[in-house]
Amino acid sequence: MRFLFGLLPAALLLGSPAPAPTPAHTFALGPNQFLLDGQPLQLISGELHYPRIPREAWRARLRMAKAMGLNTIGTYVFWNVHEPQPGHYDFTGNNDVAAFVKMAQEEGLWVILRPSPYVCAEWEFGGYPYWLQNVPGLKVRSQEPQYIAAYTRYLQAVGKQLAPLQVNHGGPVLMVQVENEYGSYGADKQYLAQNKQLFINAGFDGLLYTCDPAPDVAAGHLPGLLPAVNGLDKPREVRKIVQANHDGQGPYYIAEWYPAWFDWWGAPHHTVPAAQYVAPLDSVLKAGLSINMYMFHGGTTRGFLNGANYKGPTTDYEPQVSSYDYDAPLDEAGNATAKFRAFREVIAKYRPAGAPALPPVPAAKPSVALPALQLTRTASLLGRLPAPVASPQPLTFEKLKQAYGFVLYRTTVAGGGEKLLKIRDLRDYAVVMVNGRRVGTLDRRLRQDSLRLALPAGKAVQLDILVENLGRINYGKYLLQNTKGITQSVTLGGQALTGWQQFGLPFDQAPAVAKSTGAAPAATGGPVLRTASFTVASPADTYLDMRQWGKGVVWVNGHNLGRYWAIGPQQTVYVPAEWLRKGPNEVTVLELLKPQQATLASLDHPILSELQPVSK
């Protein structure tokens, strides 16, 4: 009898019926429209990315999508988030993409899944994990066997999470994207065919498609798959391009329609009025085309996961800011904007007959300015270093098996006189210190690689170079040249420096400052950690005002909220209410340039559009 009970479902033993399985659907390509269970379905989709939104806020963002009239959401799947080290997979917490997809289904939304290992997305290394660069000869976005082997293992892990959630298995995933804008990078059809087969082998047995900017569709499309078009909103041109690559048929899907753009440090904030997009959106929906807005809601690229653009030695390196507000229909905090309301009015015109009225637009979330804080617990960064790794020549982040954050490079030099310090291929930002005192900075964005040092007398002067990875390139051919740290040599007065110690400072966890330690920060000018506790009566969104600070990183209650930099355009750091606690909270700031700064103010609104002169 005990054996029989062990075979019975728990629901039957308790006398309640087992939940009915979610019915599977068919989703197919018609000559002009997508077909759900044989009936036309116009996809009105918006992109949002689960790692850029606190998990506690996922449902609220999905409900905002419904309120604007979307019936679908699109999301990338990020390899470097899910396999941060080889063979170590993470699908928990904010990385639980399956939970995100299931939540979308609970909210009545379909999902377009974009799990290709390359995502671009203004994301570190375009989504690739840093450790791929440690495999000699490995070449991303190619048929190179080591890359394909790593890619295969990753897709198998993703397939276990997400293949059961395809629409033909009862889930909400309508389509799965193969590669990502590959036509802007290459034209290897065998590689694309290999991609397709790897997806099938991982369990993705539903509808697959490719997407490319309009000029690159022919290069990036794989015959037999639907070619989606990015960055175009003229229905006649979309139809022409798709038909030319798809046997004269549709359906017609604009996979990325851009209502604005992203930002990078030292450049103006990008905004475009909603009025410029209303007519194009209306024409696309009126023509019956399907569309995905990139982005519907950007959120925040927290931690060190922002990417960068770089087109070559004669161009600027452009690391992206932590805010991914994107001037999207939902702002960084998830509130409706004028663009949201304008788009909602257009979408409402094209709702299917008999569809229920759109849900009311939720009110903006409350936001507050907290009382100014004094960050009195202080520790010198140089006073709390981990054990070093020694080497004759400087080692890159990759050789140190460190993904992100900072590395402190230390050696000793003979003192006396003035000499030129030169760092070949610095990536990306350096604070230079002599005997613990800051003497200057070097910034890859400005193509700076050298600094004149006035050295104090002495046989063994300590030279420290604190190097920050500002974000690996996420687009273009320089994906293959993405190592970080001091990647070549360091010379002083023309002589190569050797005998290095490297101190890894990845800040995988929030640093803790229990009490003040080290030399007075103003005395040395060196980087410091500052911490304070504060009390919140009722958690609400707030924005840390970093305009009086220099450059660094902020953590609240263990969450890395991202970077700040006085050059702008981003001047505030968004603190979501979901990550504050009623009662005691803790904030920690790593400040590189203004160690004397101790007052931390906050605002009830963001500042994303204020540029300041470069701070040294």
PDB file of all heavy atoms in Angstrom, residues 164-197:
ATOM      1  N   PRO A 164      11.111  23.657 -23.213  1.00  0.00           N
ATOM      2  CA  PRO A 164       9.752  23.224 -22.820  1.00  0.00           C
ATOM      3  C   PRO A 164       8.728  24.359 -22.803  1.00  0.00           C
ATOM      4  O   PRO A 164       7.522  24.092 -22.679  1.00  0.00           O
ATOM      5  CB  PRO A 164       9.961  22.659 -21.407  1.00  0.00           C
ATOM      6  CG  PRO A 164      11.416  22.330 -21.323  1.00  0.00           C
ATOM      7  CD  PRO A 164      12.090  23.376 -22.150  1.00  0.00           C
ATOM      8  N   LEU A 165       9.185  25.612 -22.905  1.00  0.00           N
ATOM      9  CA  LEU A 165       8.272  26.749 -22.832  1.00  0.00           C
ATOM     10  C   LEU A 165       7.884  27.272 -24.208  1.00  0.00           C
ATOM     11  O   LEU A 165       7.274  28.340 -24.326  1.00  0.00           O
ATOM     12  CB  LEU A 165       8.910  27.870 -22.004  1.00  0.00           C
ATOM     13  CG  LEU A 165       9.233  27.505 -20.554  1.00  0.00           C
ATOM     14  CD1 LEU A 165       9.896  28.662 -19.830  1.00  0.00           C
ATOM     15  CD2 LEU A 165       7.978  27.059 -19.809  1.00  0.00           C
ATOM     16  N   GLN A 166       8.215  26.522 -25.268  1.00  0.00           N
ATOM     17  CA  GLN A 166       7.766  26.894 -26.599  1.00  0.00           C
ATOM     18  C   GLN A 166       6.260  26.681 -26.734  1.00  0.00           C
ATOM     19  O   GLN A 166       5.668  25.848 -26.047  1.00  0.00           O
ATOM     20  CB  GLN A 166       8.512  26.095 -27.655  1.00  0.00           C
ATOM     21  CG  GLN A 166      10.012  26.388 -27.702  1.00  0.00           C
ATOM     22  CD  GLN A 166      10.736  25.419 -28.603  1.00  0.00           C
ATOM     23  OE1 GLN A 166      11.080  25.746 -29.733  1.00  0.00           O
ATOM     24  NE2 GLN A 166      10.970  24.214 -28.106  1.00  0.00           N
ATOM     25  N   VAL A 167       5.655  27.429 -27.632  1.00  0.00           N
ATOM     26  CA  VAL A 167       4.198  27.422 -27.774  1.00  0.00           C
ATOM     27  C   VAL A 167       3.669  26.036 -28.155  1.00  0.00           C
ATOM     28  O   VAL A 167       2.570  25.643 -27.743  1.00  0.00           O
ATOM     29  CB  VAL A 167       3.761  28.499 -28.803  1.00  0.00           C
ATOM     30  CG1 VAL A 167       4.231  28.155 -30.214  1.00  0.00           C
ATOM     31  CG2 VAL A 167       2.271  28.741 -28.757  1.00  0.00           C
ATOM     32  N   ASN A 168       4.446  25.286 -28.912  1.00  0.00           N
ATOM     33  CA  ASN A 168       4.016  23.943 -29.312  1.00  0.00           C
ATOM     34  C   ASN A 168       4.135  22.928 -28.186  1.00  0.00           C
ATOM     35  O   ASN A 168       3.753  21.768 -28.342  1.00  0.00           O
ATOM     36  CB  ASN A 168       4.799  23.462 -30.544  1.00  0.00           C
ATOM     37  CG  ASN A 168       6.295  23.598 -30.390  1.00  0.00           C
ATOM     38  OD1 ASN A 168       6.785  24.571 -29.820  1.00  0.00           O
ATOM     39  ND2 ASN A 168       7.041  22.630 -30.901  1.00  0.00           N
ATOM     40  N   HIS A 169       4.633  23.373 -27.019  1.00  0.00           N
ATOM     41  CA  HIS A 169       4.685  22.530 -25.824  1.00  0.00           C
ATOM     42  C   HIS A 169       3.826  23.113 -24.694  1.00  0.00           C
ATOM     43  O   HIS A 169       3.944  22.679 -23.545  1.00  0.00           O
ATOM     44  CB  HIS A 169       6.130  22.383 -25.340  1.00  0.00           C
ATOM     45  CG  HIS A 169       7.029  21.697 -26.324  1.00  0.00           C
ATOM     46  ND1 HIS A 169       7.056  20.331 -26.504  1.00  0.00           N
ATOM     47  CD2 HIS A 169       7.921  22.212 -27.215  1.00  0.00           C
ATOM     48  CE1 HIS A 169       7.936  20.019 -27.448  1.00  0.00           C
ATOM     49  NE2 HIS A 169       8.475  21.142 -27.903  1.00  0.00           N
ATOM     50  N   GLY A 170       3.022  24.111 -25.029  1.00  0.00           N
ATOM     51  CA  GLY A 170       2.145  24.709 -24.024  1.00  0.00           C
ATOM     52  C   GLY A 170       2.678  25.963 -23.383  1.00  0.00           C
ATOM     53  O   GLY A 170       2.051  26.512 -22.476  1.00  0.00           O
ATOM     54  N   GLY A 171       3.830  26.435 -23.838  1.00  0.00           N
ATOM     55  CA  GLY A 171       4.420  27.648 -23.285  1.00  0.00           C
ATOM     56  C   GLY A 171       4.087  28.878 -24.113  1.00  0.00           C
ATOM     57  O   GLY A 171       3.342  28.796 -25.094  1.00  0.00           O
ATOM     58  N   PRO A 172       4.670  30.030 -23.775  1.00  0.00           N
ATOM     59  CA  PRO A 172       4.362  31.269 -24.494  1.00  0.00           C
ATOM     60  C   PRO A 172       5.345  31.639 -25.595  1.00  0.00           C
ATOM     61  O   PRO A 172       5.151  32.646 -26.275  1.00  0.00           O
ATOM     62  CB  PRO A 172       4.425  32.312 -23.373  1.00  0.00           C
ATOM     63  CG  PRO A 172       5.516  31.813 -22.482  1.00  0.00           C
ATOM     64  CD  PRO A 172       5.433  30.295 -22.532  1.00  0.00           C
ATOM     65  N   VAL A 173       6.435  30.860 -25.781  1.00  0.00           N
ATOM     66  CA  VAL A 173       7.483  31.246 -26.721  1.00  0.00           C
ATOM     67  C   VAL A 173       7.037  30.935 -28.146  1.00  0.00           C
ATOM     68  O   VAL A 173       6.939  29.773 -28.545  1.00  0.00           O
ATOM     69  CB  VAL A 173       8.812  30.540 -26.404  1.00  0.00           C
ATOM     70  CG1 VAL A 173       9.871  30.889 -27.448  1.00  0.00           C
ATOM     71  CG2 VAL A 173       9.300  30.918 -25.003  1.00  0.00           C
ATOM     72  N   LEU A 174       6.777  31.983 -28.914  1.00  0.00           N
ATOM     73  CA  LEU A 174       6.289  31.822 -30.282  1.00  0.00           C
ATOM     74  C   LEU A 174       7.414  31.528 -31.263  1.00  0.00           C
ATOM     75  O   LEU A 174       7.269  30.688 -32.156  1.00  0.00           O
ATOM     76  CB  LEU A 174       5.565  33.097 -30.731  1.00  0.00           C
ATOM     77  CG  LEU A 174       4.305  33.486 -29.971  1.00  0.00           C
ATOM     78  CD1 LEU A 174       3.775  34.810 -30.495  1.00  0.00           C
ATOM     79  CD2 LEU A 174       3.239  32.395 -30.102  1.00  0.00           C
ATOM     80  N   MET A 175       8.519  32.254 -31.123  1.00  0.00           N
ATOM     81  CA  MET A 175       9.630  32.127 -32.071  1.00  0.00           C
ATOM     82  C   MET A 175      10.950  32.226 -31.321  1.00  0.00           C
ATOM     83  O   MET A 175      11.023  32.843 -30.251  1.00  0.00           O
ATOM     84  CB  MET A 175       9.591  33.239 -33.130  1.00  0.00           C
ATOM     85  CG  MET A 175       8.430  33.197 -34.082  1.00  0.00           C
ATOM     86  SD  MET A 175       8.739  34.236 -35.559  1.00  0.00           S
ATOM     87  CE  MET A 175       8.938  35.859 -34.829  1.00  0.00           C
ATOM     88  N   VAL A 176      11.979  31.654 -31.921  1.00  0.00           N
ATOM     89  CA  VAL A 176      13.323  31.685 -31.353  1.00  0.00           C
ATOM     90  C   VAL A 176      14.284  32.179 -32.432  1.00  0.00           C
ATOM     91  O   VAL A 176      14.285  31.671 -33.556  1.00  0.00           O
ATOM     92  CB  VAL A 176      13.749  30.294 -30.837  1.00  0.00           C
ATOM     93  CG1 VAL A 176      15.167  30.325 -30.286  1.00  0.00           C
ATOM     94  CG2 VAL A 176      12.776  29.796 -29.769  1.00  0.00           C
ATOM     95  N   GLN A 177      15.097  33.152 -32.068  1.00  0.00           N
ATOM     96  CA  GLN A 177      16.005  33.776 -33.036  1.00  0.00           C
ATOM     97  C   GLN A 177      17.327  33.025 -33.118  1.00  0.00           C
ATOM     98  O   GLN A 177      17.932  32.693 -32.100  1.00  0.00           O
ATOM     99  CB  GLN A 177      16.262  35.225 -32.633  1.00  0.00           C
ATOM    100  CG  GLN A 177      17.174  35.981 -33.591  1.00  0.00           C
ATOM    101  CD  GLN A 177      17.382  37.407 -33.149  1.00  0.00           C
ATOM    102  OE1 GLN A 177      16.451  38.192 -33.117  1.00  0.00           O
ATOM    103  NE2 GLN A 177      18.620  37.745 -32.782  1.00  0.00           N
ATOM    104  N   VAL A 178      17.792  32.802 -34.343  1.00  0.00           N
ATOM    105  CA  VAL A 178      19.073  32.165 -34.616  1.00  0.00           C
ATOM    106  C   VAL A 178      20.100  33.250 -34.927  1.00  0.00           C
ATOM    107  O   VAL A 178      19.902  34.059 -35.831  1.00  0.00           O
ATOM    108  CB  VAL A 178      18.948  31.187 -35.801  1.00  0.00           C
ATOM    109  CG1 VAL A 178      20.314  30.676 -36.224  1.00  0.00           C
ATOM    110  CG2 VAL A 178      18.031  30.025 -35.427  1.00  0.00           C
ATOM    111  N   GLU A 179      21.221  33.258 -34.181  1.00  0.00           N
ATOM    112  CA  GLU A 179      22.242  34.313 -34.274  1.00  0.00           C
ATOM    113  C   GLU A 179      21.581  35.669 -34.076  1.00  0.00           C
ATOM    114  O   GLU A 179      20.456  35.751 -33.578  1.00  0.00           O
ATOM    115  CB  GLU A 179      23.025  34.227 -35.592  1.00  0.00           C
ATOM    116  CG  GLU A 179      24.513  33.876 -35.416  1.00  0.00           C
ATOM    117  CD  GLU A 179      25.391  35.006 -34.863  1.00  0.00           C
ATOM    118  OE1 GLU A 179      24.921  36.132 -34.711  1.00  0.00           O
ATOM    119  OE2 GLU A 179      26.577  34.744 -34.581  1.00  0.00           O
ATOM    120  N   ASN A 180      22.297  36.765 -34.399  1.00  0.00           N
ATOM    121  CA  ASN A 180      21.742  38.100 -34.149  1.00  0.00           C
ATOM    122  C   ASN A 180      22.463  39.110 -35.029  1.00  0.00           C
ATOM    123  O   ASN A 180      23.652  39.355 -34.832  1.00  0.00           O
ATOM    124  CB  ASN A 180      21.908  38.491 -32.674  1.00  0.00           C
ATOM    125  CG  ASN A 180      21.273  39.833 -32.366  1.00  0.00           C
ATOM    126  OD1 ASN A 180      20.118  40.060 -32.692  1.00  0.00           O
ATOM    127  ND2 ASN A 180      22.038  40.730 -31.757  1.00  0.00           N
ATOM    128  N   GLU A 181      21.757  39.645 -36.000  1.00  0.00           N
ATOM    129  CA  GLU A 181      22.324  40.625 -36.922  1.00  0.00           C
ATOM    130  C   GLU A 181      23.653  40.127 -37.503  1.00  0.00           C
ATOM    131  O   GLU A 181      24.616  40.891 -37.635  1.00  0.00           O
ATOM    132  CB  GLU A 181      22.507  41.972 -36.213  1.00  0.00           C
ATOM    133  CG  GLU A 181      21.197  42.592 -35.756  1.00  0.00           C
ATOM    134  CD  GLU A 181      21.345  44.016 -35.246  1.00  0.00           C
ATOM    135  OE1 GLU A 181      22.377  44.307 -34.587  1.00  0.00           O
ATOM    136  OE2 GLU A 181      20.458  44.825 -35.502  1.00  0.00           O
ATOM    137  N   TYR A 182      23.664  38.857 -37.861  1.00  0.00           N
ATOM    138  CA  TYR A 182      24.911  38.280 -38.355  1.00  0.00           C
ATOM    139  C   TYR A 182      25.348  38.913 -39.675  1.00  0.00           C
ATOM    140  O   TYR A 182      26.547  39.033 -39.956  1.00  0.00           O
ATOM    141  CB  TYR A 182      24.771  36.765 -38.521  1.00  0.00           C
ATOM    142  CG  TYR A 182      26.011  36.122 -39.081  1.00  0.00           C
ATOM    143  CD1 TYR A 182      27.171  36.032 -38.312  1.00  0.00           C
ATOM    144  CD2 TYR A 182      26.048  35.658 -40.392  1.00  0.00           C
ATOM    145  CE1 TYR A 182      28.325  35.473 -38.834  1.00  0.00           C
ATOM    146  CE2 TYR A 182      27.197  35.091 -40.921  1.00  0.00           C
ATOM    147  CZ  TYR A 182      28.340  35.007 -40.140  1.00  0.00           C
ATOM    148  OH  TYR A 182      29.494  34.465 -40.660  1.00  0.00           O
ATOM    149  N   GLY A 183      24.383  39.357 -40.482  1.00  0.00           N
ATOM    150  CA  GLY A 183      24.728  39.962 -41.764  1.00  0.00           C
ATOM    151  C   GLY A 183      25.543  41.229 -41.644  1.00  0.00           C
ATOM    152  O   GLY A 183      26.212  41.634 -42.603  1.00  0.00           O
ATOM    153  N   SER A 184      25.520  41.857 -40.473  1.00  0.00           N
ATOM    154  CA  SER A 184      26.354  43.042 -40.238  1.00  0.00           C
ATOM    155  C   SER A 184      27.785  42.658 -39.877  1.00  0.00           C
ATOM    156  O   SER A 184      28.649  43.541 -39.743  1.00  0.00           O
ATOM    157  CB  SER A 184      25.759  43.892 -39.111  1.00  0.00           C
ATOM    158  OG  SER A 184      24.455  44.297 -39.414  1.00  0.00           O
ATOM    159  N   TYR A 185      28.026  41.357 -39.731  1.00  0.00           N
ATOM    160  CA  TYR A 185      29.330  40.869 -39.275  1.00  0.00           C
ATOM    161  C   TYR A 185      29.989  39.956 -40.308  1.00  0.00           C
ATOM    162  O   TYR A 185      31.199  40.020 -40.519  1.00  0.00           O
ATOM    163  CB  TYR A 185      29.145  40.112 -37.970  1.00  0.00           C
ATOM    164  CG  TYR A 185      30.417  39.638 -37.309  1.00  0.00           C
ATOM    165  CD1 TYR A 185      31.157  40.488 -36.487  1.00  0.00           C
ATOM    166  CD2 TYR A 185      30.887  38.341 -37.489  1.00  0.00           C
ATOM    167  CE1 TYR A 185      32.330  40.062 -35.878  1.00  0.00           C
ATOM    168  CE2 TYR A 185      32.056  37.901 -36.881  1.00  0.00           C
ATOM    169  CZ  TYR A 185      32.776  38.763 -36.075  1.00  0.00           C
ATOM    170  OH  TYR A 185      33.933  38.349 -35.468  1.00  0.00           O
ATOM    171  N   GLY A 186      29.189  39.079 -40.921  1.00  0.00           N
ATOM    172  CA  GLY A 186      29.735  38.113 -41.863  1.00  0.00           C
ATOM    173  C   GLY A 186      28.666  37.610 -42.818  1.00  0.00           C
ATOM    174  O   GLY A 186      27.541  38.112 -42.849  1.00  0.00           O
ATOM    175  N   ALA A 187      29.030  36.593 -43.619  1.00  0.00           N
ATOM    176  CA  ALA A 187      28.092  36.059 -44.614  1.00  0.00           C
ATOM    177  C   ALA A 187      28.283  34.555 -44.804  1.00  0.00           C
ATOM    178  O   ALA A 187      28.089  34.038 -45.897  1.00  0.00           O
ATOM    179  CB  ALA A 187      28.265  36.791 -45.945  1.00  0.00           C
ATOM    180  N   ASP A 188      28.647  33.862 -43.733  1.00  0.00           N
ATOM    181  CA  ASP A 188      28.932  32.424 -43.801  1.00  0.00           C
ATOM    182  C   ASP A 188      27.643  31.641 -43.593  1.00  0.00           C
ATOM    183  O   ASP A 188      27.190  31.452 -42.463  1.00  0.00           O
ATOM    184  CB  ASP A 188      29.968  32.074 -42.725  1.00  0.00           C
ATOM    185  CG  ASP A 188      30.424  30.627 -42.791  1.00  0.00           C
ATOM    186  OD1 ASP A 188      29.754  29.811 -43.446  1.00  0.00           O
ATOM    187  OD2 ASP A 188      31.449  30.307 -42.152  1.00  0.00           O
ATOM    188  N   LYS A 189      27.061  31.172 -44.682  1.00  0.00           N
ATOM    189  CA  LYS A 189      25.787  30.451 -44.589  1.00  0.00           C
ATOM    190  C   LYS A 189      25.954  29.100 -43.896  1.00  0.00           C
ATOM    191  O   LYS A 189      25.020  28.615 -43.241  1.00  0.00           O
ATOM    192  CB  LYS A 189      25.189  30.246 -45.988  1.00  0.00           C
ATOM    193  CG  LYS A 189      24.909  31.536 -46.746  1.00  0.00           C
ATOM    194  CD  LYS A 189      23.847  32.383 -46.070  1.00  0.00           C
ATOM    195  CE  LYS A 189      23.500  33.610 -46.900  1.00  0.00           C
ATOM    196  NZ  LYS A 189      22.536  34.509 -46.247  1.00  0.00           N
ATOM    197  N   GLN A 190      27.129  28.498 -44.036  1.00  0.00           N
ATOM    198  CA  GLN A 190      27.360  27.227 -43.339  1.00  0.00           C
ATOM    199  C   GLN A 190      27.344  27.437 -41.824  1.00  0.00           C
ATOM    200  O   GLN A 190      26.821  26.597 -41.079  1.00  0.00           O
ATOM    201  CB  GLN A 190      28.682  26.602 -43.780  1.00  0.00           C
ATOM    202  CG  GLN A 190      28.655  26.039 -45.186  1.00  0.00           C
ATOM    203  CD  GLN A 190      29.965  25.333 -45.520  1.00  0.00           C
ATOM    204  OE1 GLN A 190      31.021  25.653 -44.986  1.00  0.00           O
ATOM    205  NE2 GLN A 190      29.891  24.365 -46.417  1.00  0.00           N
ATOM    206  N   TYR A 191      27.924  28.542 -41.382  1.00  0.00           N
ATOM    207  CA  TYR A 191      27.891  28.858 -39.957  1.00  0.00           C
ATOM    208  C   TYR A 191      26.454  29.052 -39.486  1.00  0.00           C
ATOM    209  O   TYR A 191      26.061  28.557 -38.428  1.00  0.00           O
ATOM    210  CB  TYR A 191      28.724  30.113 -39.695  1.00  0.00           C
ATOM    211  CG  TYR A 191      28.506  30.723 -38.322  1.00  0.00           C
ATOM    212  CD1 TYR A 191      28.890  30.050 -37.169  1.00  0.00           C
ATOM    213  CD2 TYR A 191      27.911  31.979 -38.186  1.00  0.00           C
ATOM    214  CE1 TYR A 191      28.695  30.607 -35.907  1.00  0.00           C
ATOM    215  CE2 TYR A 191      27.706  32.543 -36.923  1.00  0.00           C
ATOM    216  CZ  TYR A 191      28.094  31.849 -35.798  1.00  0.00           C
ATOM    217  OH  TYR A 191      27.894  32.397 -34.560  1.00  0.00           O
ATOM    218  N   LEU A 192      25.637  29.763 -40.277  1.00  0.00           N
ATOM    219  CA  LEU A 192      24.239  29.962 -39.896  1.00  0.00           C
ATOM    220  C   LEU A 192      23.486  28.641 -39.865  1.00  0.00           C
ATOM    221  O   LEU A 192      22.664  28.396 -38.974  1.00  0.00           O
ATOM    222  CB  LEU A 192      23.568  30.934 -40.864  1.00  0.00           C
ATOM    223  CG  LEU A 192      23.970  32.402 -40.720  1.00  0.00           C
ATOM    224  CD1 LEU A 192      23.344  33.236 -41.833  1.00  0.00           C
ATOM    225  CD2 LEU A 192      23.564  32.950 -39.356  1.00  0.00           C
ATOM    226  N   ALA A 193      23.753  27.769 -40.840  1.00  0.00           N
ATOM    227  CA  ALA A 193      23.097  26.456 -40.851  1.00  0.00           C
ATOM    228  C   ALA A 193      23.506  25.639 -39.626  1.00  0.00           C
ATOM    229  O   ALA A 193      22.694  24.903 -39.053  1.00  0.00           O
ATOM    230  CB  ALA A 193      23.454  25.709 -42.139  1.00  0.00           C
ATOM    231  N   GLN A 194      24.769  25.776 -39.238  1.00  0.00           N
ATOM    232  CA  GLN A 194      25.243  25.095 -38.034  1.00  0.00           C
ATOM    233  C   GLN A 194      24.514  25.637 -36.801  1.00  0.00           C
ATOM    234  O   GLN A 194      24.120  24.869 -35.913  1.00  0.00           O
ATOM    235  CB  GLN A 194      26.749  25.310 -37.916  1.00  0.00           C
ATOM    236  CG  GLN A 194      27.462  24.352 -36.986  1.00  0.00           C
ATOM    237  CD  GLN A 194      28.971  24.456 -37.124  1.00  0.00           C
ATOM    238  OE1 GLN A 194      29.495  25.470 -37.597  1.00  0.00           O
ATOM    239  NE2 GLN A 194      29.687  23.429 -36.713  1.00  0.00           N
ATOM    240  N   ASN A 195      24.314  26.950 -36.749  1.00  0.00           N
ATOM    241  CA  ASN A 195      23.530  27.557 -35.677  1.00  0.00           C
ATOM    242  C   ASN A 195      22.145  26.934 -35.593  1.00  0.00           C
ATOM    243  O   ASN A 195      21.682  26.545 -34.515  1.00  0.00           O
ATOM    244  CB  ASN A 195      23.378  29.062 -35.933  1.00  0.00           C
ATOM    245  CG  ASN A 195      24.484  29.889 -35.333  1.00  0.00           C
ATOM    246  OD1 ASN A 195      24.315  30.487 -34.282  1.00  0.00           O
ATOM    247  ND2 ASN A 195      25.620  29.915 -35.992  1.00  0.00           N
ATOM    248  N   LYS A 196      21.493  26.885 -36.722  1.00  0.00           N
ATOM    249  CA  LYS A 196      20.132  26.340 -36.764  1.00  0.00           C
ATOM    250  C   LYS A 196      20.103  24.920 -36.202  1.00  0.00           C
ATOM    251  O   LYS A 196      19.239  24.581 -35.383  1.00  0.00           O
ATOM    252  CB  LYS A 196      19.613  26.351 -38.202  1.00  0.00           C
ATOM    253  CG  LYS A 196      18.261  25.673 -38.381  1.00  0.00           C
ATOM    254  CD  LYS A 196      17.869  25.585 -39.847  1.00  0.00           C
ATOM    255  CE  LYS A 196      16.606  24.760 -40.033  1.00  0.00           C
ATOM    256  NZ  LYS A 196      16.252  24.608 -41.470  1.00  0.00           N
ATOM    257  N   GLN A 197      21.050  24.091 -36.618  1.00  0.00           N
ATOM    258  CA  GLN A 197      21.059  22.706 -36.159  1.00  0.00           C
ATOM    259  C   GLN A 197      21.334  22.608 -34.665  1.00  0.00           C
ATOM    260  O   GLN A 197      20.741  21.762 -33.962  1.00  0.00           O
ATOM    261  CB  GLN A 197      22.091  21.892 -36.941  1.00  0.00           C
ATOM    262  CG  GLN A 197      21.980  20.385 -36.710  1.00  0.00           C
ATOM    263  CD  GLN A 197      20.601  19.850 -37.083  1.00  0.00           C
ATOM    264  OE1 GLN A 197      20.093  20.107 -38.178  1.00  0.00           O
ATOM    265  NE2 GLN A 197      19.969  19.106 -36.168  1.00  0.00           N
TER     266      GLN A 197
END
